[in-house]
mmCIF file of all heavy atoms in Angstrom:
data_model
loop_
_atom_site.group_PDB
_atom_site.id
_atom_site.type_symbol
_atom_site.label_atom_id
_atom_site.label_comp_id
_atom_site.label_asym_id
_atom_site.label_seq_id
_atom_site.Cartn_x
_atom_site.Cartn_y
_atom_site.Cartn_z
ATOM 1 N N ILE A 196 84.026 80.696 128.862
ATOM 2 C CA ILE A 196 85.569 80.560 129.126
ATOM 3 C C ILE A 196 86.263 80.810 127.787
ATOM 4 O O ILE A 196 87.313 81.433 127.778
ATOM 5 C CB ILE A 196 85.734 79.133 129.647
ATOM 6 C CG1 ILE A 196 85.261 78.983 131.104
ATOM 7 C CG2 ILE A 196 87.263 78.777 129.692
ATOM 8 C CD1 ILE A 196 85.208 77.511 131.630
ATOM 9 N N ALA A 197 85.725 80.190 126.721
ATOM 10 C CA ALA A 197 86.304 80.396 125.356
ATOM 11 C C ALA A 197 86.485 81.822 125.052
ATOM 12 O O ALA A 197 87.456 82.364 124.586
ATOM 13 C CB ALA A 197 85.540 79.628 124.347
ATOM 14 N N ARG A 198 85.399 82.562 125.393
ATOM 15 C CA ARG A 198 85.314 84.087 125.123
ATOM 16 C C ARG A 198 86.289 84.767 125.954
ATOM 17 O O ARG A 198 87.003 85.665 125.516
ATOM 18 C CB ARG A 198 83.905 84.438 125.418
ATOM 19 C CG ARG A 198 83.608 86.031 125.304
ATOM 20 C CD ARG A 198 83.526 86.582 124.030
ATOM 21 N NE ARG A 198 83.146 87.892 123.897
ATOM 22 C CZ ARG A 198 83.290 88.643 122.850
ATOM 23 N NH1 ARG A 198 83.778 88.180 121.767
ATOM 24 N NH2 ARG A 198 82.960 89.962 122.861
ATOM 25 N N ALA A 199 86.392 84.484 127.258
ATOM 26 C CA ALA A 199 87.407 85.181 128.167
ATOM 27 C C ALA A 199 88.802 84.863 127.803
ATOM 28 O O ALA A 199 89.638 85.768 127.803
ATOM 29 C CB ALA A 199 87.088 84.613 129.636
ATOM 30 N N ILE A 200 89.076 83.773 127.338
ATOM 31 C CA ILE A 200 90.459 83.321 126.912
ATOM 32 C C ILE A 200 90.777 84.089 125.734
ATOM 33 O O ILE A 200 91.677 84.838 125.409
ATOM 34 C CB ILE A 200 90.569 81.895 126.617
ATOM 35 C CG1 ILE A 200 90.560 81.132 127.878
ATOM 36 C CG2 ILE A 200 91.887 81.634 125.821
ATOM 37 C CD1 ILE A 200 90.294 79.581 127.778
ATOM 38 N N GLU A 201 89.714 84.127 124.657
ATOM 39 C CA GLU A 201 89.859 84.803 123.285
ATOM 40 C C GLU A 201 90.283 86.402 123.571
ATOM 41 O O GLU A 201 91.067 86.886 122.857
ATOM 42 C CB GLU A 201 88.546 84.730 122.620
ATOM 43 C CG GLU A 201 88.499 85.278 121.223
ATOM 44 C CD GLU A 201 89.167 84.445 120.148
ATOM 45 O OE1 GLU A 201 89.479 83.283 120.422
ATOM 46 O OE2 GLU A 201 89.498 85.006 119.114
ATOM 47 N N LEU A 202 89.576 87.001 124.684
ATOM 48 C CA LEU A 202 89.708 88.415 124.827
ATOM 49 C C LEU A 202 90.822 88.795 125.831
ATOM 50 O O LEU A 202 90.979 89.842 126.339
ATOM 51 C CB LEU A 202 88.370 88.976 125.229
ATOM 52 C CG LEU A 202 87.286 89.020 124.163
ATOM 53 C CD1 LEU A 202 85.886 89.659 124.689
ATOM 54 C CD2 LEU A 202 87.721 89.649 122.871
ATOM 55 N N LYS A 203 91.615 87.706 126.272
ATOM 56 C CA LYS A 203 92.633 87.838 127.150
ATOM 57 C C LYS A 203 92.264 88.547 128.448
ATOM 58 O O LYS A 203 92.885 89.430 128.951
ATOM 59 C CB LYS A 203 93.887 88.636 126.497
ATOM 60 C CG LYS A 203 94.450 87.777 125.343
ATOM 61 C CD LYS A 203 95.631 88.572 124.657
ATOM 62 C CE LYS A 203 96.360 87.732 123.664
ATOM 63 N NZ LYS A 203 95.511 87.117 122.711
ATOM 64 N N HIS A 204 91.180 88.030 129.024
ATOM 65 C CA HIS A 204 90.691 88.580 130.396
ATOM 66 C C HIS A 204 91.695 88.059 131.471
ATOM 67 O O HIS A 204 92.456 87.135 131.185
ATOM 68 C CB HIS A 204 89.249 88.015 130.602
ATOM 69 C CG HIS A 204 88.163 88.755 130.088
ATOM 70 N ND1 HIS A 204 87.762 90.049 130.439
ATOM 71 C CD2 HIS A 204 87.230 88.401 129.078
ATOM 72 C CE1 HIS A 204 86.799 90.583 129.602
ATOM 73 N NE2 HIS A 204 86.572 89.499 128.752
ATOM 74 N N ASN A 205 91.515 88.642 132.678
ATOM 75 C CA ASN A 205 92.453 88.391 133.554
ATOM 76 C C ASN A 205 92.535 86.906 133.945
ATOM 77 O O ASN A 205 91.411 86.156 133.861
ATOM 78 C CB ASN A 205 91.793 88.987 134.875
ATOM 79 C CG ASN A 205 92.813 89.137 136.043
ATOM 80 O OD1 ASN A 205 93.094 88.027 136.491
ATOM 81 N ND2 ASN A 205 93.250 90.298 136.520
ATOM 82 N N ALA A 206 93.674 86.360 134.194
ATOM 83 C CA ALA A 206 93.905 84.891 134.388
ATOM 84 C C ALA A 206 93.017 84.411 135.652
ATOM 85 O O ALA A 206 92.514 83.313 135.543
ATOM 86 C CB ALA A 206 95.383 84.616 134.644
ATOM 87 N N SER A 207 92.801 85.200 136.625
ATOM 88 C CA SER A 207 92.084 84.828 137.812
ATOM 89 C C SER A 207 90.722 84.639 137.506
ATOM 90 O O SER A 207 89.996 83.704 138.100
ATOM 91 C CB SER A 207 92.268 85.814 138.908
ATOM 92 O OG SER A 207 91.700 87.046 138.614
ATOM 93 N N LEU A 208 90.153 85.296 136.519
ATOM 94 C CA LEU A 208 88.814 85.149 136.145
ATOM 95 C C LEU A 208 88.560 83.887 135.356
ATOM 96 O O LEU A 208 87.570 83.069 135.659
ATOM 97 C CB LEU A 208 88.163 86.336 135.316
ATOM 98 C CG LEU A 208 86.882 86.259 134.549
ATOM 99 C CD1 LEU A 208 85.747 86.097 135.653
ATOM 100 C CD2 LEU A 208 86.533 87.357 133.630
ATOM 101 N N VAL A 209 89.457 83.515 134.441
ATOM 102 C CA VAL A 209 89.458 82.373 133.661
ATOM 103 C C VAL A 209 89.607 81.150 134.650
ATOM 104 O O VAL A 209 88.792 80.187 134.625
ATOM 105 C CB VAL A 209 90.597 82.313 132.603
ATOM 106 C CG1 VAL A 209 90.592 80.898 131.811
ATOM 107 C CG2 VAL A 209 90.361 83.443 131.581
ATOM 108 N N ALA A 210 90.329 81.232 135.663
ATOM 109 C CA ALA A 210 90.582 80.125 136.553
ATOM 110 C C ALA A 210 89.390 79.926 137.366
ATOM 111 O O ALA A 210 88.984 78.753 137.665
ATOM 112 C CB ALA A 210 91.764 80.374 137.498
ATOM 113 N N ALA A 211 88.772 80.910 137.735
ATOM 114 C CA ALA A 211 87.498 80.773 138.611
ATOM 115 C C ALA A 211 86.351 80.278 137.798
ATOM 116 O O ALA A 211 85.750 79.397 138.310
ATOM 117 C CB ALA A 211 87.156 82.156 139.130
ATOM 118 N N LEU A 212 86.259 80.632 136.588
ATOM 119 C CA LEU A 212 85.219 80.141 135.674
ATOM 120 C C LEU A 212 85.416 78.797 135.416
ATOM 121 O O LEU A 212 84.514 77.864 135.398
ATOM 122 C CB LEU A 212 85.086 80.975 134.394
ATOM 123 C CG LEU A 212 84.331 82.272 134.356
ATOM 124 C CD1 LEU A 212 84.517 83.038 132.964
ATOM 125 C CD2 LEU A 212 82.753 81.929 134.540
ATOM 126 N N ALA A 213 86.689 78.325 135.083
ATOM 127 C CA ALA A 213 86.949 76.928 134.767
ATOM 128 C C ALA A 213 86.686 76.148 135.995
ATOM 129 O O ALA A 213 86.153 74.981 135.856
ATOM 130 C CB ALA A 213 88.456 76.763 134.325
ATOM 131 N N PHE A 214 87.105 76.526 137.216
ATOM 132 C CA PHE A 214 86.849 75.796 138.410
ATOM 133 C C PHE A 214 85.358 75.593 138.711
ATOM 134 O O PHE A 214 84.913 74.544 139.009
ATOM 135 C CB PHE A 214 87.347 76.529 139.662
ATOM 136 C CG PHE A 214 87.345 75.762 141.002
ATOM 137 C CD1 PHE A 214 87.917 74.530 141.166
ATOM 138 C CD2 PHE A 214 86.680 76.347 142.056
ATOM 139 C CE1 PHE A 214 87.895 73.934 142.381
ATOM 140 C CE2 PHE A 214 86.570 75.743 143.239
ATOM 141 C CZ PHE A 214 87.090 74.584 143.313
ATOM 142 N N GLU A 215 84.464 76.674 138.492
ATOM 143 C CA GLU A 215 83.054 76.553 138.725
ATOM 144 C C GLU A 215 82.492 75.602 137.556
ATOM 145 O O GLU A 215 81.604 74.730 137.959
ATOM 146 C CB GLU A 215 82.489 77.892 138.516
ATOM 147 C CG GLU A 215 82.909 78.994 139.495
ATOM 148 C CD GLU A 215 82.080 79.058 140.735
ATOM 149 O OE1 GLU A 215 81.214 78.053 141.003
ATOM 150 O OE2 GLU A 215 81.973 80.078 141.352
ATOM 151 N N THR A 216 83.027 75.679 136.484
ATOM 152 C CA THR A 216 82.526 74.704 135.366
ATOM 153 C C THR A 216 82.901 73.295 135.706
ATOM 154 O O THR A 216 81.941 72.387 135.379
ATOM 155 C CB THR A 216 83.006 75.142 133.952
ATOM 156 O OG1 THR A 216 82.670 76.511 133.762
ATOM 157 C CG2 THR A 216 82.576 74.234 132.910
#
Side-chain angles (χ1 to χ4, degrees):
I196 291 168
R198 173 78 172 166
I200 293 166
E201 181 82 11
L202 296 182
K203 295 182 170 52
H204 278 290
N205 194 299
S207 61
L208 172 62
V209 177
L212 274 172
F214 183 61
E215 300 267 22
T216 303

